[in-house]
Amino acid sequence: MAPRTSKDERQEQVRARIVEAARELFETKGAEGLSIRAIAARAGLPAMTLYSYFPNKMAIVRALWSLAFDPLFAKMRAIEAAEPEPKARLRKVAQAYVDYWLSHPDRYRIVYTIEDRRESGQDQWFIEETDVIAAHMRFGQLIAAARGDPQGDDRLRAEALICALTGVAHMLIGVSEYPWRPSDRYVETILAGFC
């Protein structure tokens, strides 16, 4: 006899099924394909059932974003912990950031082509309710250490680097017909301006 699953486990399984259905729809139909009815049909659930797991479509999208960011940030933390030399650490983490999006263009599109919005005045923005900003701002400390100021925290440079690295990923994913050079060439060129 199979072991019984708890109510919480069953709810998590249904939530995961809903998020997976949304991911599949996004990959095949884009953002326009993400309606509650379409997600419910893909997940094999009545549309009204989704509301007992997610209050609205944006909550499902935010779950997709979390699934996209979690492995990226774990990889960045692992590289940061493993590399003792500050400039090499910055380079490796920056390259991992770009490589992640290039390896997962579907995740890139989910994160960067669907605009966040609040469904009510009480809702927070995705970046306010997650560690996305803190994880990205680690670049400030990495830059400061690579510049010889390990106690510093250079937020402006971190923001500029995030914009530049995301731009590299965006162009290589979104304008793939252009004969771009390998991503590491762009990362090296960008980092030369930071340290």
Side-chain angles (χ1 to χ4, degrees):
M1 179 161 41
R4 293 178 136 187
T5 57
S6 72
K7 181 180 177 185
D8 289 343
E9 289 172 326
R10 285 191 303 274
Q11 286 181 328
E12 265 318 297
Q13 290 170 354
V14 174
R15 283 179 62 84
R17 196 165 89 213
I18 293 167
V19 171
E20 179 61 17
R23 186 194 61 76
E24 290 170 356
L25 280 169
F26 180 83
E27 286 180 9
T28 59
K29 299 185 180 197
E32 301 79 35
L34 291 179
S35 71
I36 290 293
R37 286 183 193 267
I39 295 168
R42 184 70 163 235
L45 300 166
M48 292 308 293
T49 301
L50 262 66
Y51 292 109
S52 61
Y53 294 93
F54 294 95
N56 50 52
K57 181 176 83 169
M58 203 64 227
I60 298 171
V61 170
R62 289 175 174 194
L64 286 169
W65 290 343
S66 292
L67 289 175
F69 278 122
D70 289 348
L72 168 62
F73 295 150
K75 177 75 171 170
M76 290 168 62
R77 284 190 301 272
I79 292 169
E80 186 176 345
E83 178 55 62
E85 200 283 307
K87 286 186 179 183
R89 183 170 50 239
L90 173 60
R91 182 182 48 75
K92 288 178 180 179
V93 171
Q95 188 64 55
Y97 183 86
V98 172
D99 289 347
Y100 175 81
W101 295 122
L102 296 178
S103 296
H104 304 286
D106 55 324
R107 294 177 189 173
Y108 176 86
R109 289 182 188 98
I110 287 170
V111 168
Y112 291 108
T113 64
I114 302 175
E115 184 179 1
D116 193 12
R117 38 176 220 278
R118 299 186 299 178
E119 298 292 325
S120 73
Q122 292 86 6
D123 289 345
Q124 291 183 307
W125 297 106
F126 177 76
I127 61 173
E128 293 173 336
E129 55 187 37
T130 64
D131 69 344
V132 169
I133 294 295
H136 277 90
M137 287 304 113
R138 288 289 303 146
F139 276 116
Q141 294 166 5
L142 296 172
I143 292 166
R147 292 171 59 88
D149 181 15
Q151 301 307 310
D153 187 3
D154 198 332
R155 187 175 181 94
L156 176 61
R157 284 190 176 95
E159 291 169 349
L161 181 58
I162 293 161
C163 289
L165 296 175
T166 304
V168 170
H170 181 80
M171 296 308 289
L172 272 68
I173 291 168
V175 190
S176 59
E177 68 277 9
Y178 185 80
W180 299 105
R181 293 188 170 103
S183 65
D184 62 327
R185 300 275 305 277
Y186 298 112
V187 171
E188 288 293 333
T189 302
I190 291 165
L191 290 178
F194 286 89
C195 47

mmCIF file of all heavy atoms in Angstrom, residues 65-106:
data_model
loop_
_atom_site.group_PDB
_atom_site.id
_atom_site.type_symbol
_atom_site.label_atom_id
_atom_site.label_comp_id
_atom_site.label_asym_id
_atom_site.label_seq_id
_atom_site.Cartn_x
_atom_site.Cartn_y
_atom_site.Cartn_z
ATOM 1 N N TRP A 65 8.693 33.132 -11.619
ATOM 2 C CA TRP A 65 9.910 33.928 -11.454
ATOM 3 C C TRP A 65 10.792 33.344 -10.369
ATOM 4 O O TRP A 65 12.012 33.258 -10.525
ATOM 5 C CB TRP A 65 9.560 35.375 -11.135
ATOM 6 C CG TRP A 65 8.955 36.139 -12.270
ATOM 7 C CD1 TRP A 65 8.990 35.796 -13.595
ATOM 8 C CD2 TRP A 65 8.222 37.357 -12.192
ATOM 9 N NE1 TRP A 65 8.313 36.739 -14.339
ATOM 10 C CE2 TRP A 65 7.834 37.706 -13.504
ATOM 11 C CE3 TRP A 65 7.849 38.175 -11.138
ATOM 12 C CZ2 TRP A 65 7.105 38.850 -13.784
ATOM 13 C CZ3 TRP A 65 7.115 39.324 -11.414
ATOM 14 C CH2 TRP A 65 6.760 39.654 -12.736
ATOM 15 N N SER A 66 10.182 32.956 -9.248
ATOM 16 C CA SER A 66 10.964 32.362 -8.165
ATOM 17 C C SER A 66 11.666 31.099 -8.632
ATOM 18 O O SER A 66 12.838 30.877 -8.325
ATOM 19 C CB SER A 66 10.069 32.049 -6.966
ATOM 20 O OG SER A 66 9.619 33.241 -6.376
ATOM 21 N N LEU A 67 10.955 30.277 -9.393
ATOM 22 C CA LEU A 67 11.565 29.052 -9.914
ATOM 23 C C LEU A 67 12.712 29.362 -10.873
ATOM 24 O O LEU A 67 13.673 28.600 -10.968
ATOM 25 C CB LEU A 67 10.525 28.188 -10.621
ATOM 26 C CG LEU A 67 9.498 27.515 -9.720
ATOM 27 C CD1 LEU A 67 8.457 26.782 -10.559
ATOM 28 C CD2 LEU A 67 10.160 26.576 -8.737
ATOM 29 N N ALA A 68 12.624 30.480 -11.568
ATOM 30 C CA ALA A 68 13.698 30.865 -12.497
ATOM 31 C C ALA A 68 14.906 31.400 -11.730
ATOM 32 O O ALA A 68 16.050 31.077 -12.071
ATOM 33 C CB ALA A 68 13.191 31.915 -13.485
ATOM 34 N N PHE A 69 14.676 32.201 -10.705
ATOM 35 C CA PHE A 69 15.786 32.828 -9.992
ATOM 36 C C PHE A 69 16.489 31.896 -9.005
ATOM 37 O O PHE A 69 17.694 32.010 -8.799
ATOM 38 C CB PHE A 69 15.310 34.075 -9.228
ATOM 39 C CG PHE A 69 15.197 35.303 -10.068
ATOM 40 C CD1 PHE A 69 13.993 35.978 -10.183
ATOM 41 C CD2 PHE A 69 16.305 35.815 -10.741
ATOM 42 C CE1 PHE A 69 13.888 37.138 -10.949
ATOM 43 C CE2 PHE A 69 16.220 36.965 -11.502
ATOM 44 C CZ PHE A 69 15.008 37.620 -11.610
ATOM 45 N N ASP A 70 15.765 31.009 -8.362
ATOM 46 C CA ASP A 70 16.355 30.188 -7.295
ATOM 47 C C ASP A 70 17.619 29.445 -7.727
ATOM 48 O O ASP A 70 18.638 29.524 -7.043
ATOM 49 C CB ASP A 70 15.316 29.232 -6.710
ATOM 50 C CG ASP A 70 14.267 29.943 -5.871
ATOM 51 O OD1 ASP A 70 14.448 31.140 -5.549
ATOM 52 O OD2 ASP A 70 13.247 29.307 -5.540
ATOM 53 N N PRO A 71 17.606 28.708 -8.846
ATOM 54 C CA PRO A 71 18.841 28.005 -9.234
ATOM 55 C C PRO A 71 19.971 28.957 -9.623
ATOM 56 O O PRO A 71 21.141 28.665 -9.381
ATOM 57 C CB PRO A 71 18.433 27.131 -10.417
ATOM 58 C CG PRO A 71 17.008 27.371 -10.671
ATOM 59 C CD PRO A 71 16.493 28.384 -9.716
ATOM 60 N N LEU A 72 19.633 30.093 -10.214
ATOM 61 C CA LEU A 72 20.652 31.082 -10.574
ATOM 62 C C LEU A 72 21.363 31.585 -9.324
ATOM 63 O O LEU A 72 22.596 31.585 -9.258
ATOM 64 C CB LEU A 72 20.022 32.258 -11.325
ATOM 65 C CG LEU A 72 20.909 33.496 -11.505
ATOM 66 C CD1 LEU A 72 22.142 33.171 -12.338
ATOM 67 C CD2 LEU A 72 20.110 34.639 -12.114
ATOM 68 N N PHE A 73 20.604 31.985 -8.334
ATOM 69 C CA PHE A 73 21.216 32.534 -7.128
ATOM 70 C C PHE A 73 21.991 31.469 -6.359
ATOM 71 O O PHE A 73 23.025 31.764 -5.768
ATOM 72 C CB PHE A 73 20.160 33.206 -6.253
ATOM 73 C CG PHE A 73 19.532 34.416 -6.898
ATOM 74 C CD1 PHE A 73 18.226 34.777 -6.608
ATOM 75 C CD2 PHE A 73 20.230 35.199 -7.818
ATOM 76 C CE1 PHE A 73 17.646 35.892 -7.200
ATOM 77 C CE2 PHE A 73 19.655 36.310 -8.419
ATOM 78 C CZ PHE A 73 18.357 36.655 -8.101
ATOM 79 N N ALA A 74 21.517 30.242 -6.377
ATOM 80 C CA ALA A 74 22.264 29.155 -5.725
ATOM 81 C C ALA A 74 23.612 28.952 -6.409
ATOM 82 O O ALA A 74 24.641 28.788 -5.738
ATOM 83 C CB ALA A 74 21.453 27.864 -5.745
ATOM 84 N N LYS A 75 23.621 28.988 -7.727
ATOM 85 C CA LYS A 75 24.865 28.834 -8.493
ATOM 86 C C LYS A 75 25.818 29.994 -8.196
ATOM 87 O O LYS A 75 27.019 29.785 -7.979
ATOM 88 C CB LYS A 75 24.553 28.764 -9.985
ATOM 89 C CG LYS A 75 25.737 28.684 -10.897
ATOM 90 C CD LYS A 75 26.339 27.316 -10.865
ATOM 91 C CE LYS A 75 27.386 27.182 -11.958
ATOM 92 N NZ LYS A 75 28.146 25.960 -11.812
ATOM 93 N N MET A 76 25.300 31.206 -8.169
ATOM 94 C CA MET A 76 26.135 32.373 -7.886
ATOM 95 C C MET A 76 26.748 32.278 -6.492
ATOM 96 O O MET A 76 27.934 32.561 -6.315
ATOM 97 C CB MET A 76 25.298 33.660 -8.039
ATOM 98 C CG MET A 76 24.925 33.969 -9.482
ATOM 99 S SD MET A 76 23.669 35.282 -9.652
ATOM 100 C CE MET A 76 24.515 36.686 -8.941
ATOM 101 N N ARG A 77 25.946 31.873 -5.503
ATOM 102 C CA ARG A 77 26.463 31.741 -4.130
ATOM 103 C C ARG A 77 27.548 30.671 -4.049
ATOM 104 O O ARG A 77 28.563 30.848 -3.370
ATOM 105 C CB ARG A 77 25.328 31.415 -3.153
ATOM 106 C CG ARG A 77 24.436 32.586 -2.805
ATOM 107 C CD ARG A 77 23.480 32.276 -1.666
ATOM 108 N NE ARG A 77 22.598 31.150 -1.942
ATOM 109 C CZ ARG A 77 21.421 31.243 -2.547
ATOM 110 N NH1 ARG A 77 20.968 32.422 -2.943
ATOM 111 N NH2 ARG A 77 20.676 30.177 -2.739
ATOM 112 N N ALA A 78 27.347 29.563 -4.757
ATOM 113 C CA ALA A 78 28.335 28.472 -4.733
ATOM 114 C C ALA A 78 29.657 28.928 -5.335
ATOM 115 O O ALA A 78 30.731 28.649 -4.788
ATOM 116 C CB ALA A 78 27.795 27.256 -5.478
ATOM 117 N N ILE A 79 29.599 29.629 -6.434
ATOM 118 C CA ILE A 79 30.825 30.134 -7.074
ATOM 119 C C ILE A 79 31.508 31.148 -6.168
ATOM 120 O O ILE A 79 32.724 31.116 -5.981
ATOM 121 C CB ILE A 79 30.507 30.750 -8.450
ATOM 122 C CG1 ILE A 79 30.076 29.660 -9.424
ATOM 123 C CG2 ILE A 79 31.699 31.529 -8.991
ATOM 124 C CD1 ILE A 79 29.487 30.185 -10.715
ATOM 125 N N GLU A 80 30.715 32.037 -5.588
ATOM 126 C CA GLU A 80 31.266 33.066 -4.706
ATOM 127 C C GLU A 80 31.992 32.424 -3.514
ATOM 128 O O GLU A 80 33.082 32.855 -3.135
ATOM 129 C CB GLU A 80 30.142 33.974 -4.211
ATOM 130 C CG GLU A 80 30.618 35.152 -3.423
ATOM 131 C CD GLU A 80 29.495 36.086 -3.015
ATOM 132 O OE1 GLU A 80 28.381 35.995 -3.561
ATOM 133 O OE2 GLU A 80 29.754 36.923 -2.130
ATOM 134 N N ALA A 81 31.403 31.386 -2.966
ATOM 135 C CA ALA A 81 32.010 30.718 -1.805
ATOM 136 C C ALA A 81 33.270 29.934 -2.181
ATOM 137 O O ALA A 81 34.177 29.798 -1.367
ATOM 138 C CB ALA A 81 30.991 29.782 -1.158
ATOM 139 N N ALA A 82 33.332 29.445 -3.408
ATOM 140 C CA ALA A 82 34.445 28.574 -3.813
ATOM 141 C C ALA A 82 35.672 29.326 -4.317
ATOM 142 O O ALA A 82 36.779 28.785 -4.289
ATOM 143 C CB ALA A 82 33.967 27.602 -4.888
ATOM 144 N N GLU A 83 35.504 30.556 -4.790
ATOM 145 C CA GLU A 83 36.619 31.290 -5.412
ATOM 146 C C GLU A 83 37.180 32.321 -4.436
ATOM 147 O O GLU A 83 36.523 33.314 -4.134
ATOM 148 C CB GLU A 83 36.154 31.969 -6.701
ATOM 149 C CG GLU A 83 37.212 32.798 -7.387
ATOM 150 C CD GLU A 83 38.494 32.027 -7.677
ATOM 151 O OE1 GLU A 83 38.438 31.043 -8.441
ATOM 152 O OE2 GLU A 83 39.558 32.410 -7.134
ATOM 153 N N PRO A 84 38.413 32.128 -3.956
ATOM 154 C CA PRO A 84 38.975 33.063 -2.971
ATOM 155 C C PRO A 84 39.504 34.373 -3.576
ATOM 156 O O PRO A 84 39.530 35.395 -2.895
ATOM 157 C CB PRO A 84 40.115 32.262 -2.343
ATOM 158 C CG PRO A 84 40.514 31.275 -3.391
ATOM 159 C CD PRO A 84 39.266 30.965 -4.169
ATOM 160 N N GLU A 85 39.920 34.360 -4.830
ATOM 161 C CA GLU A 85 40.533 35.549 -5.432
ATOM 162 C C GLU A 85 39.430 36.505 -5.902
ATOM 163 O O GLU A 85 38.573 36.123 -6.704
ATOM 164 C CB GLU A 85 41.434 35.118 -6.599
ATOM 165 C CG GLU A 85 42.481 36.148 -6.995
ATOM 166 C CD GLU A 85 41.899 37.299 -7.802
ATOM 167 O OE1 GLU A 85 41.222 37.036 -8.814
ATOM 168 O OE2 GLU A 85 42.111 38.459 -7.405
ATOM 169 N N PRO A 86 39.411 37.755 -5.407
ATOM 170 C CA PRO A 86 38.295 38.667 -5.660
ATOM 171 C C PRO A 86 37.988 38.947 -7.133
ATOM 172 O O PRO A 86 36.820 38.940 -7.529
ATOM 173 C CB PRO A 86 38.697 39.955 -4.939
ATOM 174 C CG PRO A 86 39.632 39.507 -3.864
ATOM 175 C CD PRO A 86 40.371 38.334 -4.455
ATOM 176 N N LYS A 87 38.993 39.203 -7.961
ATOM 177 C CA LYS A 87 38.705 39.495 -9.378
ATOM 178 C C LYS A 87 38.194 38.261 -10.103
ATOM 179 O O LYS A 87 37.258 38.343 -10.906
ATOM 180 C CB LYS A 87 39.941 40.062 -10.070
ATOM 181 C CG LYS A 87 40.228 41.493 -9.662
ATOM 182 C CD LYS A 87 41.360 42.096 -10.460
ATOM 183 C CE LYS A 87 41.580 43.533 -10.004
ATOM 184 N NZ LYS A 87 42.618 44.210 -10.765
ATOM 185 N N ALA A 88 38.781 37.117 -9.824
ATOM 186 C CA ALA A 88 38.319 35.873 -10.441
ATOM 187 C C ALA A 88 36.901 35.546 -9.973
ATOM 188 O O ALA A 88 36.070 35.078 -10.752
ATOM 189 C CB ALA A 88 39.272 34.725 -10.106
ATOM 190 N N ARG A 89 36.628 35.814 -8.701
ATOM 191 C CA ARG A 89 35.293 35.563 -8.146
ATOM 192 C C ARG A 89 34.252 36.409 -8.877
ATOM 193 O O ARG A 89 33.217 35.909 -9.314
ATOM 194 C CB ARG A 89 35.298 35.854 -6.650
ATOM 195 C CG ARG A 89 33.990 35.567 -5.968
ATOM 196 C CD ARG A 89 34.066 35.634 -4.448
ATOM 197 N NE ARG A 89 34.694 36.848 -3.964
ATOM 198 C CZ ARG A 89 35.790 36.881 -3.207
ATOM 199 N NH1 ARG A 89 36.391 35.768 -2.837
ATOM 200 N NH2 ARG A 89 36.295 38.028 -2.808
ATOM 201 N N LEU A 90 34.531 37.700 -9.035
ATOM 202 C CA LEU A 90 33.607 38.581 -9.741
ATOM 203 C C LEU A 90 33.396 38.095 -11.171
ATOM 204 O O LEU A 90 32.260 38.008 -11.646
ATOM 205 C CB LEU A 90 34.127 40.023 -9.740
ATOM 206 C CG LEU A 90 33.337 41.022 -10.579
ATOM 207 C CD1 LEU A 90 31.897 41.130 -10.108
ATOM 208 C CD2 LEU A 90 34.037 42.392 -10.549
ATOM 209 N N ARG A 91 34.499 37.763 -11.851
ATOM 210 C CA ARG A 91 34.390 37.307 -13.241
ATOM 211 C C ARG A 91 33.554 36.035 -13.349
ATOM 212 O O ARG A 91 32.671 35.918 -14.197
ATOM 213 C CB ARG A 91 35.777 37.079 -13.831
ATOM 214 C CG ARG A 91 35.755 36.645 -15.300
ATOM 215 C CD ARG A 91 37.144 36.380 -15.860
ATOM 216 N NE ARG A 91 37.980 35.540 -15.035
ATOM 217 C CZ ARG A 91 37.855 34.211 -14.907
ATOM 218 N NH1 ARG A 91 36.910 33.571 -15.554
ATOM 219 N NH2 ARG A 91 38.676 33.534 -14.137
ATOM 220 N N LYS A 92 33.809 35.077 -12.463
ATOM 221 C CA LYS A 92 33.089 33.799 -12.526
ATOM 222 C C LYS A 92 31.605 33.960 -12.199
ATOM 223 O O LYS A 92 30.745 33.331 -12.834
ATOM 224 C CB LYS A 92 33.736 32.780 -11.585
ATOM 225 C CG LYS A 92 35.073 32.274 -12.091
ATOM 226 C CD LYS A 92 35.710 31.305 -11.115
ATOM 227 C CE LYS A 92 37.046 30.799 -11.625
ATOM 228 N NZ LYS A 92 37.683 29.870 -10.667
ATOM 229 N N VAL A 93 31.300 34.785 -11.218
ATOM 230 C CA VAL A 93 29.896 34.997 -10.864
ATOM 231 C C VAL A 93 29.182 35.739 -12.007
ATOM 232 O O VAL A 93 28.062 35.379 -12.385
ATOM 233 C CB VAL A 93 29.755 35.756 -9.526
ATOM 234 C CG1 VAL A 93 28.306 36.165 -9.268
ATOM 235 C CG2 VAL A 93 30.270 34.897 -8.378
ATOM 236 N N ALA A 94 29.828 36.743 -12.571
ATOM 237 C CA ALA A 94 29.235 37.487 -13.687
ATOM 238 C C ALA A 94 29.001 36.573 -14.890
ATOM 239 O O ALA A 94 27.936 36.618 -15.524
ATOM 240 C CB ALA A 94 30.131 38.667 -14.077
ATOM 241 N N GLN A 95 29.969 35.729 -15.185
ATOM 242 C CA GLN A 95 29.818 34.812 -16.318
ATOM 243 C C GLN A 95 28.716 33.795 -16.039
ATOM 244 O O GLN A 95 27.921 33.468 -16.933
ATOM 245 C CB GLN A 95 31.134 34.085 -16.612
ATOM 246 C CG GLN A 95 31.094 33.263 -17.893
ATOM 247 C CD GLN A 95 30.907 34.125 -19.127
ATOM 248 O OE1 GLN A 95 31.668 35.049 -19.369
ATOM 249 N NE2 GLN A 95 29.895 33.823 -19.923
ATOM 250 N N ALA A 96 28.632 33.318 -14.810
ATOM 251 C CA ALA A 96 27.573 32.370 -14.451
ATOM 252 C C ALA A 96 26.196 33.004 -14.625
ATOM 253 O O ALA A 96 25.249 32.338 -15.061
ATOM 254 C CB ALA A 96 27.763 31.885 -13.020
ATOM 255 N N TYR A 97 26.095 34.291 -14.308
ATOM 256 C CA TYR A 97 24.828 35.012 -14.465
ATOM 257 C C TYR A 97 24.390 34.990 -15.935
ATOM 258 O O TYR A 97 23.259 34.632 -16.258
ATOM 259 C CB TYR A 97 24.994 36.450 -13.966
ATOM 260 C CG TYR A 97 23.743 37.273 -14.004
ATOM 261 C CD1 TYR A 97 22.841 37.245 -12.941
ATOM 262 C CD2 TYR A 97 23.452 38.090 -15.084
ATOM 263 C CE1 TYR A 97 21.684 38.010 -12.967
ATOM 264 C CE2 TYR A 97 22.300 38.854 -15.120
ATOM 265 C CZ TYR A 97 21.421 38.811 -14.062
ATOM 266 O OH TYR A 97 20.269 39.560 -14.094
ATOM 267 N N VAL A 98 25.300 35.359 -16.825
ATOM 268 C CA VAL A 98 24.979 35.380 -18.255
ATOM 269 C C VAL A 98 24.731 33.963 -18.763
ATOM 270 O O VAL A 98 23.753 33.704 -19.469
ATOM 271 C CB VAL A 98 26.099 36.068 -19.064
ATOM 272 C CG1 VAL A 98 25.863 35.929 -20.563
ATOM 273 C CG2 VAL A 98 26.206 37.539 -18.676
ATOM 274 N N ASP A 99 25.604 33.027 -18.407
ATOM 275 C CA ASP A 99 25.469 31.647 -18.883
ATOM 276 C C ASP A 99 24.150 31.018 -18.465
ATOM 277 O O ASP A 99 23.552 30.244 -19.223
ATOM 278 C CB ASP A 99 26.626 30.777 -18.379
ATOM 279 C CG ASP A 99 27.945 31.095 -19.050
ATOM 280 O OD1 ASP A 99 27.946 31.806 -20.086
ATOM 281 O OD2 ASP A 99 28.987 30.645 -18.528
ATOM 282 N N TYR A 100 23.704 31.328 -17.258
ATOM 283 C CA TYR A 100 22.444 30.773 -16.783
ATOM 284 C C TYR A 100 21.302 31.164 -17.713
ATOM 285 O O TYR A 100 20.509 30.330 -18.139
ATOM 286 C CB TYR A 100 22.152 31.234 -15.353
ATOM 287 C CG TYR A 100 20.798 30.767 -14.862
ATOM 288 C CD1 TYR A 100 20.622 29.474 -14.384
ATOM 289 C CD2 TYR A 100 19.696 31.618 -14.896
ATOM 290 C CE1 TYR A 100 19.378 29.036 -13.953
ATOM 291 C CE2 TYR A 100 18.452 31.187 -14.457
ATOM 292 C CZ TYR A 100 18.294 29.906 -13.994
ATOM 293 O OH TYR A 100 17.050 29.479 -13.574
ATOM 294 N N TRP A 101 21.215 32.455 -18.016
ATOM 295 C CA TRP A 101 20.114 32.904 -18.883
ATOM 296 C C TRP A 101 20.268 32.344 -20.294
ATOM 297 O O TRP A 101 19.265 31.999 -20.927
ATOM 298 C CB TRP A 101 20.041 34.429 -18.904
ATOM 299 C CG TRP A 101 19.682 35.027 -17.581
ATOM 300 C CD1 TRP A 101 20.421 35.938 -16.865
ATOM 301 C CD2 TRP A 101 18.518 34.760 -16.779
ATOM 302 N NE1 TRP A 101 19.776 36.245 -15.694
ATOM 303 C CE2 TRP A 101 18.610 35.537 -15.613
ATOM 304 C CE3 TRP A 101 17.407 33.936 -16.944
ATOM 305 C CZ2 TRP A 101 17.632 35.533 -14.618
ATOM 306 C CZ3 TRP A 101 16.437 33.916 -15.947
ATOM 307 C CH2 TRP A 101 16.551 34.706 -14.807
ATOM 308 N N LEU A 102 21.490 32.241 -20.787
ATOM 309 C CA LEU A 102 21.691 31.677 -22.120
ATOM 310 C C LEU A 102 21.314 30.192 -22.160
ATOM 311 O O LEU A 102 20.813 29.705 -23.177
ATOM 312 C CB LEU A 102 23.144 31.860 -22.574
ATOM 313 C CG LEU A 102 23.604 33.297 -22.764
ATOM 314 C CD1 LEU A 102 25.074 33.346 -23.177
ATOM 315 C CD2 LEU A 102 22.728 34.037 -23.772
ATOM 316 N N SER A 103 21.525 29.496 -21.048
ATOM 317 C CA SER A 103 21.160 28.073 -20.970
ATOM 318 C C SER A 103 19.661 27.873 -20.765
ATOM 319 O O SER A 103 19.145 26.794 -21.024
ATOM 320 C CB SER A 103 21.894 27.398 -19.803
ATOM 321 O OG SER A 103 23.276 27.418 -20.023
ATOM 322 N N HIS A 104 18.994 28.902 -20.276
ATOM 323 C CA HIS A 104 17.563 28.817 -19.983
ATOM 324 C C HIS A 104 16.824 30.021 -20.572
ATOM 325 O O HIS A 104 16.272 30.842 -19.830
ATOM 326 C CB HIS A 104 17.340 28.752 -18.470
ATOM 327 C CG HIS A 104 18.053 27.632 -17.809
ATOM 328 N ND1 HIS A 104 17.652 26.329 -17.918
ATOM 329 C CD2 HIS A 104 19.172 27.612 -17.052
ATOM 330 C CE1 HIS A 104 18.477 25.550 -17.241
ATOM 331 N NE2 HIS A 104 19.416 26.314 -16.716
ATOM 332 N N PRO A 105 16.818 30.139 -21.898
ATOM 333 C CA PRO A 105 16.170 31.320 -22.492
ATOM 334 C C PRO A 105 14.683 31.402 -22.175
ATOM 335 O O PRO A 105 14.137 32.503 -22.083
ATOM 336 C CB PRO A 105 16.411 31.137 -23.992
ATOM 337 C CG PRO A 105 16.705 29.685 -24.172
ATOM 338 C CD PRO A 105 17.349 29.235 -22.906
ATOM 339 N N ASP A 106 14.020 30.258 -21.951
ATOM 340 C CA ASP A 106 12.609 30.295 -21.572
ATOM 341 C C ASP A 106 12.428 30.979 -20.223
ATOM 342 O O ASP A 106 11.513 31.781 -20.027
ATOM 343 C CB ASP A 106 12.020 28.880 -21.550
ATOM 344 C CG ASP A 106 12.813 27.931 -20.661
ATOM 345 O OD1 ASP A 106 14.058 28.042 -20.606
ATOM 346 O OD2 ASP A 106 12.196 27.061 -20.014
#
